[in-house]
Amino acid sequence: MRAGDQPYDEEALAALPGQSIVFYDDGEALFGEDGAYSYTYSAANGGGTAWGSYRVAQDGQVCVTFVNGMSRCDQYVTNRDRTVVITSDGQRFPVRSSQIP
């Protein structure tokens, strides 16, 4: 976490179902109402979609299990009115657009 990072609160986490977020590389994550998850890679990154399911952990991380068996948990934060996804190894991915409050 960096100075200014504010983890998503309960309201923002509860708003995930049915929403999408688009990253600056044009990749898009979709959060289904039923816990389904998909990430569609941009054309510049080869296209294609990774399918799985997601859940919100007690500590507020968003955990995804992909159909290929891989899984990961990410921290969603806001910083200066921008959403940033922080992976477990500390990589930061700013979000270009989001429907999440």
Side-chain angles (χ1 to χ4, degrees), residues 43-89:
N45 287 318
T49 301
W51 303 96
S53 60
Y54 74 97
R55 66 179 179 80
V56 176
Q58 274 189 305
D59 64 0
Q61 291 191 70
V62 178
C63 298
V64 176
T65 301
F66 294 95
V67 295
N68 67 5
M70 300 289 289
S71 63
R72 67 171 214 241
C73 293
D74 300 324
Q75 183 75 51
Y76 285 59
V77 303
T78 56
N79 191 321
R80 296 188 186 144
D81 297 323
R82 173 178 286 160
T83 294
V84 178
V85 177
I86 305 171
T87 63
S88 61
D89 62 358

Side-chain angles (χ1 to χ4, degrees), residues 16-21 29-33 36-38 54 62 76 100:
L16 278 175
Q19 305 300 320
S20 72
I21 59 173
L30 295 172
F31 298 89
E33 297 278 350
Y37 175 87
S38 67
Y54 74 97
V62 178
Y76 285 59
I100 303 165

